[in-house]
Amino acid sequence: MIQRIQTVYLLIALVISGVLPYVFPLWTMSDGKEFHFMSDATYTIVFGLTTTLTLVSILYFKKRQHQFVLNRLSIIFNLILLGLFVYRSLNLSGETLAVSEKGIGMFLPIVAIVFLALANKAIKKDEDLVKSADRLR
């Protein structure tokens, strides 16, 4: 399981979506308070879904097609999360609740998407290798 490169990519994506949001704030409000993902239920649910899908994908190491589909679903949830961040940062342009400084936490879904895409590429390569070996039999 761990010797496959897609598992390493999935573990990195799991750390990015499951651990780092606790460390880095999403943004800093105009009054100086940091806004973490646990402050809003929507962000908590989507981060939780992404983390759960990535963990389940790691556990499905023998079923490459299921892994591929779960990774795509996780990429979709990360894109939804990224869209929510962009909407929130562009929608609240007033000074009362404005996002004055974007934190590194807003860019975590982008990095997770990159690692999930790399994992899907490695899964596809493994699947093609197995299919070519089956043709030789």
Side-chain angles (χ1 to χ4, degrees), residues 5-24:
I5 190 68
Q6 61 261 30
T7 307
V8 175
Y9 290 146
L10 289 172
L11 283 173
I12 293 171
L14 181 70
V15 168
I16 289 169
S17 65
V19 176
L20 292 182
Y22 288 102
V23 177
F24 297 114

Side-chain angles (χ1 to χ4, degrees), residues 33-71:
K33 287 196 260 179
E34 292 181 341
F35 185 87
H36 288 274
F37 83 102
M38 294 294 284
S39 302
D40 192 359
T42 308
Y43 300 135
T44 305
I45 290 169
V46 178
F47 264 120
L49 283 172
T50 303
T51 305
T52 304
L53 284 173
T54 307
L55 182 63
V56 170
S57 179
I58 291 172
L59 297 176
Y60 275 9
F61 62 94
K62 289 187 179 180
K63 301 176 183 177
R64 287 178 297 278
Q65 289 299 324
H66 292 277
Q67 223 179 10
F68 193 79
V69 170
L70 288 173
N71 287 347

Side-chain angles (χ1 to χ4, degrees), residues 6-7 12 25-26 29 31 56 58 78 93 106 114 117:
Q6 61 261 30
T7 307
I12 293 171
L26 298 178
M29 304 299 260
D31 59 354
V56 170
I58 291 172
N78 274 312
S93 60
M106 277 187 86
V114 168

